[in-house]
């Protein structure tokens, strides 16, 4: 019996970045996900956390096969929340 190993699928993370207003460091979601579909829960969770912490409104929409989120806070920040594959992250 021959065992064939296939490459591991890409891991996905959820990242929130300030795209307008007073700058803050990017925020990571709660963990690694096996697919963009699984990471949608992470987008919703991070959008809800930012709304609670900074006060404001947010929403989640589909865009090019992945969920994206936007949060606008009372302090004048606009956050973009997106799903990124490990291969899409910049090399450090």
């Amino acid at each position: 019996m021959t065992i064939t190993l296939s490459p591991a699928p890409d891991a996905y993370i959820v990242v929130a970045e300030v795209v307008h207003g007073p700058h803050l460091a990017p925020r990571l979601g709660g963990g690694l996900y096996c697919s963009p579909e699984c990471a949608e829960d992470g987008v919703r969770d991070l959008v809800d956390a930012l709304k609670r912490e900074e006060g404001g409104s947010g929403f989640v929409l589909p865009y090019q096969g992945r969920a994206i989120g936007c949060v606008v806070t009372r302090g004048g920040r606009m956050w973009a929340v997106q799903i990124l594959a490990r291969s899409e992250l910049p090399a450090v």
Side-chain angles (χ1 to χ4, degrees):
M1 180 163 140
T2 303
I3 297 175
T4 304
L5 297 177
S6 59
D10 220 343
Y12 295 85
I13 63 167
V14 176
V15 179
E17 296 179 275
V18 174
V19 294
H20 179 76
H23 182 72
L24 286 177
R27 294 255 318 251
L28 291 177
L32 295 174
Y33 300 91
C34 61
S35 69
E37 292 79 17
C38 290
E40 288 179 6
D41 288 337
V43 171
R44 286 186 204 89
D45 292 344
L46 192 48
V47 165
D48 288 342
L50 290 167
K51 288 187 326 187
R52 259 192 330 273
E53 292 169 15
E54 295 200 29
S57 299
F59 57 88
V60 176
L61 296 171
Y63 178 72
Q64 295 184 349
R66 292 185 187 176
I68 60 166
C70 180
V71 178
V72 178
T73 69
R74 291 188 181 128
R77 284 190 188 94
M78 181 182 292
W79 291 85
V81 183
Q82 62 183 331
I83 299 167
L84 294 176
R86 178 184 55 188
S87 61
E88 295 171 333
L89 295 173
V92 178

